Amino acid sequence: MPSLKDLRLRIKSVKSTQKITSAMKMVAAAKLRKAQEKAMSARPYAQALERILVNVLSQQPDLPKPPLLLTGNPDNPVHLIVVVTSDRGLCGGFNINIVRDVKQLVRRLQAENVPVKILCIGRKGRDLLRRDYGSLIIETITDVGRKGVNIDESTRVCLHLQQLLEDNVCGGMTVIYSVFRSALTQDVTRQQLIPLVVEETNDRGIFEFEPSQEELIEHLLPRNFAIQLYQILLETNASEHGARMTAMDNATRNARDVIRRLELNYNRTRQAYITKELIEIISGAEAL
């Protein structure tokens, strides 16, 4: 049976942990509001830009030299998986769920004899993948969105990914990240950025292009690539804060339950000590 001192120290320790998790929950909630607003505000623009590009490409342009952002490097079989996770932990299963999906995709591609490389945005993705697929990780980009995702950070990451494509490091590119739904729900999503997936559209109208269709494609492709990546980073940032807020709320509730059990155990132990001392005093008095 633990002593009263041990129980007091344990209760004090859990109460300190509870204060920390409660403070982290409030901080995550404050950050979540801003991150959620940015993610929700950017969605319509990203979706509209992608729809415009799809409409332009649906007219079957005759491009003498298709851009790399459209077709990738057909002669390079290497597929690059961009894993977008957080730099910090304490956010429940947020990072683990993303990494689990990455492992499934890697196994599927390797079963199809497709060479795979991994680029991690966020330390946690690298740490979780290092044991099984450390040899496939070519680079880790950290501290993205540390003070909130902005377009400058997104542009730097975008230009770096384009440079990898131009240097023929990979032939295609898929991003795995988490889409924010609510503080309780984040959906792990795969999005193939290169080669660009052009879905069939029901819009069979006749379009006139000004400037030319080729010029529009050359302008819209890098813009769409940058905006889609920016949206991915925003979604991941909001998902991280939502997952952390939920995890810290659960931790705070669990700490409260542990404190209640420890205090009950403390009172029982204290009562047992008092009863034992009373018995010893009465026994001693009767012996005189």
Side-chain angles (χ1 to χ4, degrees), residues 118-179:
I118 299 174
L119 186 144
C120 297
I121 300 178
R123 292 186 180 89
K124 289 301 176 179
R126 174 197 63 191
D127 296 342
L128 293 170
L129 288 168
R130 180 183 291 167
R131 178 178 179 181
D132 296 328
Y133 300 109
S135 60
L136 302 180
I137 300 175
I138 60 173
E139 190 177 354
T140 302
I141 302 174
T142 60
D143 297 328
V144 176
R146 186 174 183 180
K147 297 182 180 180
V149 178
N150 56 63
I151 193 66
D152 293 333
E153 284 184 327
S154 173
T155 301
R156 285 196 296 270
V157 176
C158 176
L159 292 175
H160 183 66
L161 293 179
Q162 290 185 46
Q163 189 62 46
L164 292 177
L165 189 66
E166 293 173 1
D167 293 341
N168 203 25
V169 174
C170 61
M173 189 179 302
T174 296
V175 182
I176 299 181
Y177 65 104
S178 185
V179 174

Side-chain angles (χ1 to χ4, degrees), residues 184-198:
L184 296 174
T185 307
Q186 302 86 33
D187 296 336
V188 178
T189 303
R190 299 178 189 176
Q191 183 173 346
Q192 182 175 308
L193 293 181
I194 301 171
L196 184 65
V197 178
V198 180

Side-chain angles (χ1 to χ4, degrees), residues 18 23 25 45 83 85 89 106 200 227 239-240 244 275 281 287:
Q18 185 186 34
K25 172 193 170 184
Y45 181 78
V83 185
T85 57
V106 170
E200 293 186 3
I227 293 301
S239 298
E240 176 191 350
R244 181 170 291 112
T275 303
I281 291 172

Side-chain angles (χ1 to χ4, degrees), residues 9-272:
L9 291 175
R10 177 64 174 160
I11 291 172
K12 182 179 179 181
S13 174
V14 176
K15 284 184 176 179
S16 298
T17 302
Q18 185 186 34
K19 291 179 181 178
I20 294 172
T21 56
S22 179
M24 291 185 66
K25 172 193 170 184
M26 291 187 289
V27 171
K31 290 183 177 180
L32 173 61
R33 283 192 292 271
K34 297 180 181 178
Q36 183 178 356
E37 289 176 0
K38 293 179 70 173
M40 295 298 183
S41 299
R43 279 181 187 175
Y45 181 78
Q47 293 171 355
L49 181 61
E50 185 176 29
R51 189 162 55 249
I52 291 173
L53 181 59
V54 168
N55 284 333
V56 174
L57 292 172
S58 66
Q59 303 303 306
Q60 299 179 352
D62 183 17
L63 301 175
K65 185 179 180 182
L68 290 177
L69 291 178
L70 178 61
T71 61
N73 291 306
D75 298 331
N76 189 340
V78 175
H79 196 83
L80 180 66
I81 302 176
V82 181
V83 185
V84 187
T85 57
S86 65
D87 286 314
R88 299 186 301 151
L90 297 178
C91 47
F94 169 72
N95 294 306
I96 295 175
N97 292 335
I98 295 174
V99 168
R100 184 183 296 117
D101 194 70
V102 172
K103 291 181 178 180
Q104 291 177 356
L105 180 58
V106 170
R107 287 194 292 267
R108 181 174 68 80
L109 291 175
Q110 289 180 337
E112 297 172 357
N113 295 321
V114 177
V116 178
K117 291 183 179 180
I118 299 174
L119 186 144
C120 297
I121 300 178
R123 292 186 180 89
K124 289 301 176 179
R126 174 197 63 191
D127 296 342
L128 293 170
L129 288 168
R130 180 183 291 167
R131 178 178 179 181
D132 296 328
Y133 300 109
S135 60
L136 302 180
I137 300 175
I138 60 173
E139 190 177 354
T140 302
I141 302 174
T142 60
D143 297 328
V144 176
R146 186 174 183 180
K147 297 182 180 180
V149 178
N150 56 63
I151 193 66
D152 293 333
E153 284 184 327
S154 173
T155 301
R156 285 196 296 270
V157 176
C158 176
L159 292 175
H160 183 66
L161 293 179
Q162 290 185 46
Q163 189 62 46
L164 292 177
L165 189 66
E166 293 173 1
D167 293 341
N168 203 25
V169 174
C170 61
M173 189 179 302
T174 296
V175 182
I176 299 181
Y177 65 104
S178 185
V179 174
F180 177 80
R181 301 300 181 195
S182 68
L184 296 174
T185 307
Q186 302 86 33
D187 296 336
V188 178
T189 303
R190 299 178 189 176
Q191 183 173 346
Q192 182 175 308
L193 293 181
I194 301 171
L196 184 65
V197 178
V198 180
E199 298 180 356
E200 293 186 3
T201 177
N202 294 326
D203 191 352
R204 299 297 182 181
I206 299 175
F207 294 91
E208 293 184 2
F209 299 101
E210 180 65 34
S212 67
Q213 187 178 10
E214 291 77 10
E215 291 181 76
L216 280 175
I217 291 173
E218 290 179 2
H219 177 75
L220 288 175
L221 273 174
R223 177 66 62 86
N224 179 69
F225 185 78
I227 293 301
Q228 296 304 322
L229 184 61
Y230 179 53
Q231 182 65 34
I232 287 169
L233 296 177
L234 289 176
E235 296 283 355
T236 302
N237 192 45
S239 298
E240 176 191 350
H241 293 314
R244 181 170 291 112
M245 187 187 76
T246 302
M248 291 301 99
D249 180 58
N250 292 335
T252 303
R253 293 173 185 270
N254 291 338
R256 185 164 57 245
D257 294 339
V258 171
I259 291 171
R260 188 181 298 114
R261 290 196 299 269
L262 287 173
E263 287 179 341
L264 180 61
N265 192 13
Y266 174 82
N267 291 332
R268 287 176 176 173
T269 304
R270 181 171 174 270
Q271 187 64 43

